[in-house]
Amino acid sequence: MPAQQPAVSVIMPVLNEEHYLRESVRHILEQEYAGEMEVVIALGPSTDRTDEIAAELVAEDPRVHTVPNPTGRTPAALNAAIKASRHPIVVRVDGHGMLSPNYIATAVRLLEETGAQNVGGIMHAEGENAWEEAVAAAMTSKIGVGNAPFHTGGQAGPAETVYLGVFRREALEQQGGYNEEFIRAQDWELNFRIREAGGLIWFSPELKVQYRPRRSVKALAKQYKDYGRWRHVVARYHSGSINMRYLAPPTLVCALAAGVVVGVTLTPLGFAVPAGYLAAIAVGSVPAGRGLSPKARAQIPVALATMHLSWGFGFLTSPRALADKLIASRRPAVVPGVPQA
């Protein structure tokens, strides 16, 4: 590794992260990286011990700083942290993400080798109990999330978006940061503008972030409902950005609902649709659960169904008015050297 590496700013949006914040920051500060580093934590209005833990981290290490994020919204937190940071490389990390030891050094190398504006890798879900292990297995299997490389892995190369991201600051500043109207899917939207401006987004399986899944069925359902809701907003906001992987969950929800209605009102044969789905996720959970405890394996179908149905329901019920509001405040991509209208 060269003696001198570019200085990096790590930005963290946090809200109610008392369980993982200290561990997440430890994984940052212990990075095998020769360059200067700062960590900027944007604090939302948490109702747990997050603020107290953040204050302890600031007192313990001069590289750690905090900024307020009174809205609690992730894109606002990210923009506040970007504004408060100062280094040419900006690394996004969430409060429940754990960087692998050489993550930053590898990302900086990839930025140099590829010329990309943003590089990212795999969201490697790992659980600490049977339920979280079941969710992690579902989130890293093709039956759970399709062929998304940042979940399941794949070949290095150009990508539409990546998990979290390590950016050149100039790219963030050119685009004006994250669009704060996007409560979810803000990463995809920003990367879309970077690509529209001619920038390269690069995926590499060399980059891995350990991710701690939601701790209950209810929390997982809300997470995936929000994912589906905002994916539909993105599809309306950026026409042509949808594909069959995104349409599978809402199609499934419609098919299951139709099967139940037919089964109740016309013929019991209608129940073959939900029965077939249950059989499919039961069979699909077998390879996903290899190496896990029997308790964890038994919960994988629950995790799969929660993810699929919540995502599909969120997509189907996403209000058109929400997309219209965002379309009205559209932020076009800023192309370097091209005057803006």
Side-chain angles (χ1 to χ4, degrees):
M1 180 181 291
Q4 187 62 38
Q5 293 288 296
V8 300
S9 297
V10 181
I11 58 172
M12 299 183 68
V14 300
L15 179 68
N16 294 326
E17 291 287 3
E18 68 175 2
H19 295 289
Y20 301 121
L21 178 58
R22 177 170 287 279
E23 184 182 2
S24 181
V25 172
R26 179 179 66 79
H27 277 76
I28 297 168
L29 298 178
E30 294 179 357
Q31 283 286 296
E32 298 171 0
Y33 188 69
E36 184 180 351
M37 182 190 304
E38 65 175 351
V39 181
V40 182
I41 304 172
L43 295 171
S46 296
T47 56
D48 61 9
R49 294 185 58 253
T50 295
D51 287 10
E52 180 182 338
I53 293 169
E56 293 172 357
L57 291 167
V58 171
E60 293 165 6
D61 196 303
R63 292 174 292 178
V64 182
H65 314 280
T66 61
V67 293
N69 173 36
T71 70
R73 295 181 171 184
T74 299
L78 291 166
N79 284 342
I82 291 168
K83 184 177 180 181
S85 65
R86 56 196 173 91
H87 293 320
I89 305 297
V90 178
V91 181
R92 174 181 173 176
V93 181
D94 285 345
H96 45 269
M98 316 296 161
L99 300 185
S100 53
N102 61 349
Y103 180 90
I104 292 177
T106 301
V108 170
R109 172 177 61 80
L110 289 171
L111 284 172
E112 179 64 27
E113 290 177 355
T114 65
Q117 301 299 307
N118 180 20
V119 300
I122 296 175
M123 175 183 178
H124 185 66
E126 291 186 356
E128 296 183 315
N129 55 46
W131 165 250
E132 291 180 6
E133 289 174 350
V135 176
M139 293 181 71
T140 54
S141 66
K142 290 189 176 181
I143 190 173
V145 294
N147 61 352
F150 70 85
H151 280 295
T152 61
Q155 296 294 317
E160 286 188 352
T161 191
V162 290
Y163 180 54
L164 300 178
V166 177
F167 298 83
R168 299 179 189 270
R169 176 178 293 276
E170 61 192 29
L172 294 172
E173 292 179 345
Q174 285 167 355
Q175 300 306 324
Y178 291 84
N179 187 333
E180 295 185 14
E181 297 291 338
F182 277 80
I183 309 306
R184 297 286 186 273
Q186 66 274 157
D187 298 295
W188 194 98
E189 196 280 334
L190 172 60
N191 286 320
F192 182 91
R193 281 186 282 128
I194 292 174
R195 289 187 290 109
E196 271 197 326
L200 174 66
I201 311 300
W202 188 264
F203 166 82
S204 173
E206 291 183 77
L207 298 173
K208 184 179 293 186
V209 181
Q210 294 179 8
Y211 169 86
R212 297 290 188 256
R214 295 301 191 268
R215 298 160 66 88
S216 68
V217 174
K218 181 179 179 180
L220 182 67
K222 182 182 185 302
Q223 178 187 19
Y224 272 78
K225 178 187 173 184
D226 287 346
Y227 283 170
R229 174 187 176 97
W230 283 91
R231 169 46 64 181
H232 204 167
V233 170
V234 169
R236 288 165 167 159
Y237 188 86
H238 290 305
S239 60
S241 66
I242 202 71
N243 60 42
M244 288 306 298
R245 178 164 65 90
Y246 300 126
L247 293 177
T251 301
L252 170 66
V253 170
C254 292
L256 292 175
V260 171
V261 169
V262 170
V264 170
T265 61
L266 296 177
T267 171
L269 292 175
F271 291 117
V273 177
Y277 171 68
L278 293 175
I281 60 174
V283 171
S285 68
V286 173
R290 287 196 182 101
L292 298 182
S293 68
K295 186 176 180 181
R297 292 199 301 269
Q299 295 183 80
I300 294 175
V302 179
L304 289 169
T306 301
M307 291 162 55
H308 294 160
L309 301 183
S310 299
W311 204 104
F313 180 78
F315 188 96
L316 291 170
T317 58
S318 180
R320 177 75 202 202
L322 180 58
D324 290 342
K325 176 185 176 183
L326 268 66
I327 291 169
S329 62
R330 184 187 296 273
R331 296 168 59 179
V334 177
V335 181
V338 177
Q340 301 301 300

